Amino acid sequence: LRSAKSKFSLYGSCEQGSNTYRQVRVIADKLVVQMTIPLIQSLIYYMSIDDKERIKIYAKAALPRIVGCNMALYQYLEEILVNGAYESKMFPSILQSLQSSYSCLGITCGDIGSFDRETSSCTDADVYAPLASYVPTTDVREHAKIDLDILQVFIFTMMGADETAKDLYSIGHNSKKGDTFRSLKDLATNNNREKVPQFHLFSQYFGDKNFAHNLVMKALNHEEPFHETPRSQRVIIVHRALQFMIMYMYALREMYDAVSDCEAGDLLRNVDQVKAWDEAAAFLIGSIDSNQGDNGDPNGSGQLLFSLAKERCPEFGTCSDDFAKVNDELLSLLKTGQAQLVGNKCSSLRDLVGDIETLLAVPLIQSMLYHAVQSNSENAGSTSGSIAEAFMFANAILPLIDHADSDAGEAISYNLVHPFTTSTKPVPDGYDSVFGNAKSAFPGMNIDCEDIGTYGGWNFCDTSSSSRGASVRSSCTALSLIGLVTTTYIILLH
């Protein structure tokens, strides 16, 4: 509190452009952490003596913070501790569950201390905690926590707290960077993204270097083209932009940083190149899927591309022993790149990054196709979440599709992007059109049809299942009819 007071007492501390607000926010967050400690201690103590009434009181006080760490964990603990299912024999397992949230809450085992009845030792997260099965050689724990910002912005927007969501998006809350926090806005507007070849495709396609940032802000501010969009759909727009547009591009930025450092041939930059590679892995996998085994969080609560691949693989038949095949390949390539960087072997690293880029496109394409099917039967003006999902996943991958095949890009945009912003019928040509046009772009994107799998009656490796020609003609015919009706109307007016 004295530290916060001293910040405000400085001359000009509250003037426009001052960094005081950001610094005081960090202090406030530290205060919240300190206030959480006695609540957790009290909860554990009353669990240890099986005082059910006080367990319920302190669980109601402490557990809400866990919502912003792991929704599934919160729901589990709420059912046991708040709704009355707790029994004294559960103490060791419930204690372990609480301890698993310490890192996210910003506390340590030492902060909480121990009780005589504890039967499970408390261990703080390892500096080199594995991200799924990828083991970093540098400390990227704070980088990985950016997924918690994404989860918490989602919760705030879902609850209607848009100003709080904007604050967290702009200032950050979980991913420490020096004396402040790394923020999603910083990642979305960072100039170093220009090192990524794909960034120029996205910037050109959207006509905007800060395409994802401006999309997020328009949705949060309820501005055009989202001024009439219901909250349920705007929540999806913000969430997916954070997950799969901002983080996708920034993870690639870290990889190309590593490539540049390696190709420079400066041994002094060797540490930087390895750290940049580890940071890229952290931005693709995240803290929720770290320290949880080779396949990450078993509850599927992850927020980044690694978790998306896990979600899509059962639907497209691209799992292997419950693992997404794409994730297996991704982790293998990340480990290969790490070994090359540690050994300062750079000759094939840029090609390896290209292979990773191709893999990352797979769950985005699958998600676009999945939601094209889900929104296919919706009517114009529908508030279904699937329409917003289709709109966002199309935007996340269309710059690459359009670059590979502009006709395919135009047809997919007509079916998934155009209807959302004009309130016309979703997927007017039907999902077969979207599927056929996406498939036609695969060769130019170096996409392996087997990675995409099968869905909606389509086997993407079946050469007889392409409806590309009809799809493009259907879009063109629809546009021609619109033009004919418009022309006729103008003639009648005159």
Side-chain angles (χ1 to χ4, degrees):
L1 289 174
R2 285 194 296 269
S3 178
K5 183 179 178 181
S6 69
K7 297 289 184 186
F8 285 124
S9 66
L10 296 173
Y11 177 76
S13 60
C14 293
E15 290 182 358
Q16 189 173 5
S18 166
N19 198 37
T20 303
Y21 173 70
R22 196 162 190 161
Q23 292 172 335
V24 173
R25 264 285 309 277
V26 174
I27 296 170
D29 288 336
K30 289 179 179 177
L31 287 170
V32 171
V33 170
Q34 293 304 309
M35 291 188 290
T36 301
I37 292 170
L39 297 177
I40 297 289
Q41 288 173 327
S42 298
L43 175 59
I44 294 172
Y45 173 71
Y46 288 115
M47 282 167 50
S48 74
I49 63 172
D50 199 15
D51 185 332
K52 288 183 169 53
E53 288 304 313
R54 285 180 172 80
I55 288 172
K56 188 176 294 187
I57 291 170
Y58 283 102
K60 286 184 175 180
L63 294 187
R65 285 207 64 210
I66 296 178
V67 174
C69 297
N70 189 316
M71 188 74 76
L73 176 61
Y74 165 76
Q75 291 170 340
Y76 167 71
L77 292 174
E78 180 190 39
E79 181 62 30
I80 301 295
L81 301 175
V82 176
N83 296 336
Y86 179 76
E87 298 177 15
S88 59
K89 64 182 180 182
M90 297 177 176
F91 181 82
S93 63
I94 298 300
L95 179 61
Q96 275 191 319
S97 294
L98 282 171
Q99 290 169 347
S100 71
S101 70
Y102 285 2
S103 176
C104 168
L105 296 174
I107 59 182
T108 66
C109 297
D111 291 331
I112 298 300
S114 60
F115 291 89
D116 291 340
R117 200 177 149 195
E118 287 192 26
T119 58
S120 137
S121 60
C122 181
T123 306
D124 292 320
D126 182 20
V127 173
Y128 307 115
L131 301 157
S133 68
Y134 176 86
V135 182
T137 59
T138 61
D139 186 359
V140 291
R141 289 174 298 174
E142 292 301 324
H143 298 78
K145 287 182 183 178
I146 197 69
D147 61 351
L148 301 177
D149 276 15
I150 294 172
L151 174 60
Q152 290 164 22
V153 168
F154 168 69
I155 292 169
F156 287 137
T157 53
M158 191 168 55
M159 299 299 292
D162 290 347
E163 292 303 315
T164 306
K166 282 189 275 188
D167 190 63
L168 197 158
Y169 169 73
S170 300
I171 305 297
H173 178 68
N174 294 282
S175 182
K176 291 178 184 175
K177 184 181 180 182
D179 294 331
T180 58
F181 290 105
R182 180 178 290 101
S183 79
L184 289 159
K185 178 184 176 182
D186 292 341
L187 306 190
T189 57
N190 188 287
N191 289 330
N192 286 333
R193 293 171 299 154
E194 296 200 6
K195 293 181 178 180
V196 182
Q198 282 192 13
F199 173 73
H200 300 282
L201 297 179
F202 277 74
S203 299
Q204 183 178 4
Y205 184 84
F206 291 111
D208 181 4
K209 286 188 175 182
N210 294 325
F211 49 90
H213 165 70
N214 289 324
L215 186 66
V216 167
M217 294 309 296
K218 286 176 181 178
L220 286 174
N221 290 328
H222 218 172
E223 295 173 352
E224 262 192 78
F226 310 119
H227 55 297
E228 296 181 352
T229 305
R231 173 166 299 280
S232 59
Q233 291 182 328
R234 287 190 294 115
V235 168
I236 291 169
I237 291 166
V238 172
H239 193 207
R240 298 311 189 200
L242 300 181
Q243 291 176 295
F244 307 126
M245 295 182 80
I246 293 174
M247 294 311 304
Y248 168 84
M249 191 59 66
Y250 203 79
L252 292 182
R253 178 255 171 178
E254 293 290 2
M255 287 190 180
Y256 279 99
D257 262 1
V259 171
S260 297
D261 286 340
C262 197
E263 289 177 344
D266 184 351
L267 292 178
L268 295 176
R269 292 168 65 175
N270 184 264
V271 174
D272 292 336
Q273 66 198 34
V274 174
K275 185 165 181 59
W277 193 261
D278 287 345
E279 289 169 5
F283 291 145
L284 292 173
I285 300 169
S287 68
I288 297 173
D289 276 319
S290 70
N291 232 9
Q292 296 259 27
D294 290 355
N295 203 23
D297 178 53
N299 297 308
S301 299
Q303 295 294 304
L304 302 175
L305 274 158
F306 183 84
S307 185
L308 181 67
K310 289 195 292 181
E311 183 181 352
R312 290 282 92 93
C313 81
E315 296 150 354
F316 283 78
T318 52
C319 299
S320 175
D321 298 327
D322 296 327
F323 285 67
K325 293 177 184 177
V326 164
N327 281 347
D328 279 345
E329 293 181 56
L330 172 64
L331 290 166
S332 176
L333 291 175
L334 286 172
K335 293 170 188 176
T336 300
Q338 181 188 54
Q340 290 179 358
L341 286 162
V342 169
N344 213 39
K345 298 176 181 177
C346 315
S347 58
S348 60
L349 191 62
R350 191 172 289 273
D351 289 339
L352 187 145
V353 173
D355 292 339
I356 290 175
E357 286 176 318
T358 300
L359 283 177
L360 297 180
V362 169
L364 297 176
I365 293 170
Q366 289 175 327
S367 297
M368 179 187 74
L369 299 174
Y370 175 82
H371 289 291
V373 174
Q374 301 307 306
S375 55
N376 187 69
S377 60
E378 297 293 339
N379 296 318
S382 169
T383 59
S384 167
S386 63
I387 301 172
E389 296 276 15
F391 170 78
M392 283 309 300
F393 281 112
N395 274 309
I397 197 66
L398 266 174
L400 304 183
I401 292 176
D402 189 75
H403 180 67
D405 186 326
S406 59
D407 287 339
E410 182 181 350
I412 292 171
S413 179
Y414 173 76
N415 279 279
L416 301 184
V417 176
H418 178 72
F420 187 79
T421 54
T422 59
S423 295
T424 55
K425 186 187 183 314
V427 205
D429 292 336
Y431 72 80
D432 276 338
S433 168
V434 175
F435 279 42
N437 281 284
K439 181 179 178 180
S440 73
F442 289 172
M445 299 172 71
N446 295 319
I447 296 292
D448 186 336
C449 59
E450 291 187 359
D451 287 336
I452 301 297
T454 61
Y455 187 70
W458 276 69
N459 179 343
F460 289 92
C461 288
D462 183 355
T463 56
S464 66
S465 64
S466 172
S467 59
R468 163 63 191 277
S471 304
V472 174
R473 285 196 299 274
S474 178
S475 294
C476 293
T477 301
L479 289 170
S480 298
L481 285 172
I482 291 169
L484 177 61
V485 170
T486 304
T487 303
T488 305
Y489 181 67
I490 291 170
I491 291 170
L492 288 173
L493 284 177
H494 287 78

